[in-house]
Structure formats: C-alpha cells, structure tokens
Amino acid sequence: MFEKQIKIPEPEEILASMPLPASLKKIKAERDKLVSDVISGKSNKLIIIVGPCSAHEASPVLDYVERLGRLNEKVKDKLVLVPRIYTNKPRTRGVGYKGMFSQPDPAKSEDILKGIYAIRELNIKAIEASGLSAADEMLYPANIHYVDDLLSYIAVGARSSENQLHRLVASGIDVPVGVKNPMSGSVMVMLNSIYAAQSGQVFKLNGWQVKTDGNPLAHAILRGAVDGYGNDIPNFHYETVMQVVEGYSKSGLKNPAIIIDANHSNSSKKYKQQIRICEEVMQNRLYDGDFKRNVKGFMIESFIEEGNQDEDKVYGKSITDPCLGWCDTERLICDIAEKV
C-alpha cells in the first residue's frame, strides 16, 4: 500500500521557479567542455572528482567548495577539479540517512520537495562562490531532471550499474556519465552498461515515451568489488586496469576512459589509503602509455575534517563514510598535478 503524502511538481516547474542565472550558465557550459574534453581525449588534463561522501549540510559544503575553487586556480593547467556534491546516499539495507535530496535536515524525516529546493540552492551557490560546477550520483533516474542543468558530471553507482533504467537514462544525459563496476566487480557488466548508455534508446520516463541519441561520454569508474563473504577486492592495480583497457579495445566503445575511485572497496574505506592509491596509479601512468591514455582521473572522498562521525556535531566532518581532511587533500591534489 502506498500512502500519498506530498505532490512533487514536475522538473520544469521547479526549474522555472529556481533557474540557474544566465551568468552562471556560461560558467557551467565552460565547465562542461573542460570535463568532456578530458573524457574524449581532446585534453591531457586529469579530472579530480573530490568532496564529501555525502553533502549533508550546506554551510560546510560551500566552505569546502570555495577552498576547492581557490586550489583550482593553482592546478587548473593540469587538472579539472569537480566538487562532489552528492545529495543522494545509497543504503545497502535501504534505511538510514538517504541524502539531502530526501532529508535536507539529517535529523528529521524525509521532505523531498524541500530537499529538491535545498540542493538546487546549494549547487547554484557553489557555482557562484567557486566557479566550479559539481558532480552528483544518479541514484533515482526519475529525479535527475531536477538537477541535471546544474551538474557537469554524473555517476551511476555500483548498486545501480546493472539496472536497465539507469542505463537508459544515462543515454540521454548531455554531460559525462561515469558508470561504476557492479559490486561483483564484473568488467563485462560494466562495459555492457556503458554500451547501453552510449546507444540511442526509446523508453518510458516520467509519463512519457522518450527517445535518446546515446551518450558517447559514458565511461568506466573502478571502485573495487566485494566477494561473497563481504571482503573488499581492489581493482585499481595495473593488471586489473589493463584488463579493462583490453575490454575497451575489443568493445568498439567510443571515448575509452577510466576513472579510479580511490575509496570504497579499493581502500576498504580506509580513507588515508586514498593517498597511496593515487600515488600508485600516477606511477603506472608514467610506466605505460596505454594505461596513461585510458586513466583520466580520480574520485576522492574528502571534507574539511578527516574521518567521520555518527551525528552532525563537528563542522565539516562526514556523517557517512570517512573522508580525507582538507590539508591532506590539498597536498594530494598538488602532488597529482605535479605528476601529470
């Protein structure tokens, strides 16, 4: 039984009531091109998608993104920094904090309409304050049109990459979409998901039959895997990455590209290990030209304060997965820039 609670307006209504200002649309378009050029191989820069595991409170997220904007000025010749403003939080057991989209106040129950306005306001303020447009995860495909005009990068998570609707919706998105390997770690499933996202599709979405042309900028994110006993299996090492490179070469997919997620099962959520993982990957880029051509950047979980907390008491500290602190993040990003 479904109990109707609040009528949610269509995306067009929300966007009309809270549009992205024209001055910021220009910034967003320039940022889209920067990110797309890296994925397509037109640019030799690396993409760094970096920020908190989940954006649970606006003030510290804006503080963090402003810092990232200042750091971007130092490294922009080598890197494209994309703040993680993740407003949907997947839950393995389906309960717990579900992100700002559902719970704009983590201490209160779901209020999705309020959440939609809250994340639009957060993203608009972030672009205004830093000159950087953000990345978010497409956890619920039917909801993406409430925010896709604000984002320069969209991710499909490990639990979603095998889902048909996620693949289909990704085929109609105009910015790069990173598809994570599924929890099993299957490279073939990930490549098949990318193939579907790069292909034109016809399907039902939000009461309409829609047609897409395919998204040639859909690509792979390696985030590690989990075996049947719950053990983490990293897939950022040279041998595994080159298996994905080989899979790309056999598949006929456009714009082969791999992003390395330095946290999650690659680090077993030991957040400090993200530094070592990035260093190893950068060393492998020096060693092998094919590795370098295909590995286009990193996802890094980072916030103002390192680690995590159960409740929102420490400013700028994650309430979900543990993150690198700002000082370590700044050093890591500068180190990566030196090695590009």
PDB file of all heavy atoms in Angstrom, residues 166-181:
ATOM      1  N   HIS A 166      18.649   2.972 -15.250  1.00  0.00           N
ATOM      2  CA  HIS A 166      19.836   3.822 -15.117  1.00  0.00           C
ATOM      3  C   HIS A 166      20.597   3.891 -16.434  1.00  0.00           C
ATOM      4  O   HIS A 166      21.048   4.961 -16.857  1.00  0.00           O
ATOM      5  CB  HIS A 166      20.761   3.276 -14.021  1.00  0.00           C
ATOM      6  CG  HIS A 166      20.309   3.595 -12.633  1.00  0.00           C
ATOM      7  ND1 HIS A 166      19.360   2.862 -11.971  1.00  0.00           N
ATOM      8  CD2 HIS A 166      20.681   4.592 -11.778  1.00  0.00           C
ATOM      9  CE1 HIS A 166      19.169   3.371 -10.765  1.00  0.00           C
ATOM     10  NE2 HIS A 166      19.958   4.422 -10.622  1.00  0.00           N
ATOM     11  N   ARG A 167      20.760   2.761 -17.084  1.00  0.00           N
ATOM     12  CA  ARG A 167      21.483   2.727 -18.359  1.00  0.00           C
ATOM     13  C   ARG A 167      20.754   3.567 -19.409  1.00  0.00           C
ATOM     14  O   ARG A 167      21.385   4.320 -20.160  1.00  0.00           O
ATOM     15  CB  ARG A 167      21.591   1.280 -18.853  1.00  0.00           C
ATOM     16  CG  ARG A 167      22.417   0.364 -17.976  1.00  0.00           C
ATOM     17  CD  ARG A 167      22.289  -1.065 -18.472  1.00  0.00           C
ATOM     18  NE  ARG A 167      23.244  -1.969 -17.866  1.00  0.00           N
ATOM     19  CZ  ARG A 167      23.402  -3.231 -18.238  1.00  0.00           C
ATOM     20  NH1 ARG A 167      22.660  -3.733 -19.216  1.00  0.00           N
ATOM     21  NH2 ARG A 167      24.305  -3.998 -17.646  1.00  0.00           N
ATOM     22  N   LEU A 168      19.437   3.427 -19.457  1.00  0.00           N
ATOM     23  CA  LEU A 168      18.662   4.137 -20.465  1.00  0.00           C
ATOM     24  C   LEU A 168      18.691   5.646 -20.239  1.00  0.00           C
ATOM     25  O   LEU A 168      18.878   6.427 -21.176  1.00  0.00           O
ATOM     26  CB  LEU A 168      17.220   3.622 -20.466  1.00  0.00           C
ATOM     27  CG  LEU A 168      17.012   2.141 -20.816  1.00  0.00           C
ATOM     28  CD1 LEU A 168      15.543   1.768 -20.699  1.00  0.00           C
ATOM     29  CD2 LEU A 168      17.543   1.819 -22.205  1.00  0.00           C
ATOM     30  N   VAL A 169      18.491   6.063 -18.996  1.00  0.00           N
ATOM     31  CA  VAL A 169      18.511   7.497 -18.697  1.00  0.00           C
ATOM     32  C   VAL A 169      19.901   8.079 -18.961  1.00  0.00           C
ATOM     33  O   VAL A 169      20.028   9.193 -19.490  1.00  0.00           O
ATOM     34  CB  VAL A 169      18.047   7.754 -17.252  1.00  0.00           C
ATOM     35  CG1 VAL A 169      18.246   9.218 -16.871  1.00  0.00           C
ATOM     36  CG2 VAL A 169      16.577   7.367 -17.080  1.00  0.00           C
ATOM     37  N   ALA A 170      20.945   7.335 -18.638  1.00  0.00           N
ATOM     38  CA  ALA A 170      22.309   7.798 -18.911  1.00  0.00           C
ATOM     39  C   ALA A 170      22.507   8.082 -20.389  1.00  0.00           C
ATOM     40  O   ALA A 170      23.291   8.971 -20.763  1.00  0.00           O
ATOM     41  CB  ALA A 170      23.325   6.771 -18.427  1.00  0.00           C
ATOM     42  N   SER A 171      21.791   7.372 -21.260  1.00  0.00           N
ATOM     43  CA  SER A 171      21.941   7.554 -22.710  1.00  0.00           C
ATOM     44  C   SER A 171      21.413   8.905 -23.185  1.00  0.00           C
ATOM     45  O   SER A 171      21.723   9.321 -24.311  1.00  0.00           O
ATOM     46  CB  SER A 171      21.225   6.423 -23.466  1.00  0.00           C
ATOM     47  OG  SER A 171      19.810   6.595 -23.438  1.00  0.00           O
ATOM     48  N   GLY A 172      20.633   9.593 -22.360  1.00  0.00           N
ATOM     49  CA  GLY A 172      20.076  10.883 -22.754  1.00  0.00           C
ATOM     50  C   GLY A 172      20.685  12.073 -22.040  1.00  0.00           C
ATOM     51  O   GLY A 172      20.259  13.207 -22.261  1.00  0.00           O
ATOM     52  N   ILE A 173      21.681  11.833 -21.198  1.00  0.00           N
ATOM     53  CA  ILE A 173      22.315  12.912 -20.447  1.00  0.00           C
ATOM     54  C   ILE A 173      23.397  13.566 -21.306  1.00  0.00           C
ATOM     55  O   ILE A 173      24.111  12.891 -22.049  1.00  0.00           O
ATOM     56  CB  ILE A 173      22.888  12.360 -19.127  1.00  0.00           C
ATOM     57  CG1 ILE A 173      21.723  11.966 -18.198  1.00  0.00           C
ATOM     58  CG2 ILE A 173      23.783  13.373 -18.442  1.00  0.00           C
ATOM     59  CD1 ILE A 173      22.147  11.258 -16.938  1.00  0.00           C
ATOM     60  N   ASP A 174      23.529  14.887 -21.202  1.00  0.00           N
ATOM     61  CA  ASP A 174      24.399  15.652 -22.094  1.00  0.00           C
ATOM     62  C   ASP A 174      25.810  15.870 -21.558  1.00  0.00           C
ATOM     63  O   ASP A 174      26.630  16.480 -22.238  1.00  0.00           O
ATOM     64  CB  ASP A 174      23.770  17.013 -22.392  1.00  0.00           C
ATOM     65  CG  ASP A 174      22.473  16.894 -23.174  1.00  0.00           C
ATOM     66  OD1 ASP A 174      22.349  15.951 -23.972  1.00  0.00           O
ATOM     67  OD2 ASP A 174      21.587  17.751 -22.986  1.00  0.00           O
ATOM     68  N   VAL A 175      26.090  15.406 -20.336  1.00  0.00           N
ATOM     69  CA  VAL A 175      27.429  15.547 -19.768  1.00  0.00           C
ATOM     70  C   VAL A 175      28.003  14.150 -19.523  1.00  0.00           C
ATOM     71  O   VAL A 175      27.273  13.153 -19.570  1.00  0.00           O
ATOM     72  CB  VAL A 175      27.398  16.358 -18.454  1.00  0.00           C
ATOM     73  CG1 VAL A 175      26.898  17.774 -18.702  1.00  0.00           C
ATOM     74  CG2 VAL A 175      26.562  15.655 -17.387  1.00  0.00           C
ATOM     75  N   PRO A 176      29.309  14.041 -19.262  1.00  0.00           N
ATOM     76  CA  PRO A 176      29.885  12.724 -18.998  1.00  0.00           C
ATOM     77  C   PRO A 176      29.195  11.998 -17.848  1.00  0.00           C
ATOM     78  O   PRO A 176      28.899  12.586 -16.805  1.00  0.00           O
ATOM     79  CB  PRO A 176      31.339  13.056 -18.650  1.00  0.00           C
ATOM     80  CG  PRO A 176      31.624  14.312 -19.406  1.00  0.00           C
ATOM     81  CD  PRO A 176      30.346  15.097 -19.330  1.00  0.00           C
ATOM     82  N   VAL A 177      28.950  10.713 -18.073  1.00  0.00           N
ATOM     83  CA  VAL A 177      28.366   9.834 -17.055  1.00  0.00           C
ATOM     84  C   VAL A 177      29.357   8.717 -16.764  1.00  0.00           C
ATOM     85  O   VAL A 177      29.718   7.948 -17.664  1.00  0.00           O
ATOM     86  CB  VAL A 177      27.024   9.244 -17.514  1.00  0.00           C
ATOM     87  CG1 VAL A 177      26.510   8.213 -16.493  1.00  0.00           C
ATOM     88  CG2 VAL A 177      25.988  10.342 -17.709  1.00  0.00           C
ATOM     89  N   GLY A 178      29.814   8.642 -15.528  1.00  0.00           N
ATOM     90  CA  GLY A 178      30.699   7.566 -15.115  1.00  0.00           C
ATOM     91  C   GLY A 178      29.889   6.412 -14.562  1.00  0.00           C
ATOM     92  O   GLY A 178      29.057   6.597 -13.680  1.00  0.00           O
ATOM     93  N   VAL A 179      30.123   5.210 -15.088  1.00  0.00           N
ATOM     94  CA  VAL A 179      29.403   4.008 -14.669  1.00  0.00           C
ATOM     95  C   VAL A 179      30.353   3.150 -13.839  1.00  0.00           C
ATOM     96  O   VAL A 179      31.381   2.685 -14.339  1.00  0.00           O
ATOM     97  CB  VAL A 179      28.897   3.209 -15.885  1.00  0.00           C
ATOM     98  CG1 VAL A 179      28.136   1.971 -15.427  1.00  0.00           C
ATOM     99  CG2 VAL A 179      28.008   4.090 -16.773  1.00  0.00           C
ATOM    100  N   LYS A 180      30.033   2.940 -12.586  1.00  0.00           N
ATOM    101  CA  LYS A 180      30.894   2.133 -11.724  1.00  0.00           C
ATOM    102  C   LYS A 180      30.740   0.648 -12.037  1.00  0.00           C
ATOM    103  O   LYS A 180      29.681   0.202 -12.477  1.00  0.00           O
ATOM    104  CB  LYS A 180      30.565   2.394 -10.249  1.00  0.00           C
ATOM    105  CG  LYS A 180      30.972   3.783  -9.775  1.00  0.00           C
ATOM    106  CD  LYS A 180      30.953   3.885  -8.265  1.00  0.00           C
ATOM    107  CE  LYS A 180      31.477   5.240  -7.799  1.00  0.00           C
ATOM    108  NZ  LYS A 180      31.581   5.330  -6.333  1.00  0.00           N
ATOM    109  N   ASN A 181      31.827  -0.093 -11.778  1.00  0.00           N
ATOM    110  CA  ASN A 181      31.686  -1.540 -11.860  1.00  0.00           C
ATOM    111  C   ASN A 181      30.709  -2.012 -10.786  1.00  0.00           C
ATOM    112  O   ASN A 181      30.624  -1.409  -9.714  1.00  0.00           O
ATOM    113  CB  ASN A 181      33.034  -2.237 -11.699  1.00  0.00           C
ATOM    114  CG  ASN A 181      33.711  -1.975 -10.357  1.00  0.00           C
ATOM    115  OD1 ASN A 181      34.580  -1.121 -10.277  1.00  0.00           O
ATOM    116  ND2 ASN A 181      33.334  -2.708  -9.322  1.00  0.00           N
TER     117      ASN A 181
END
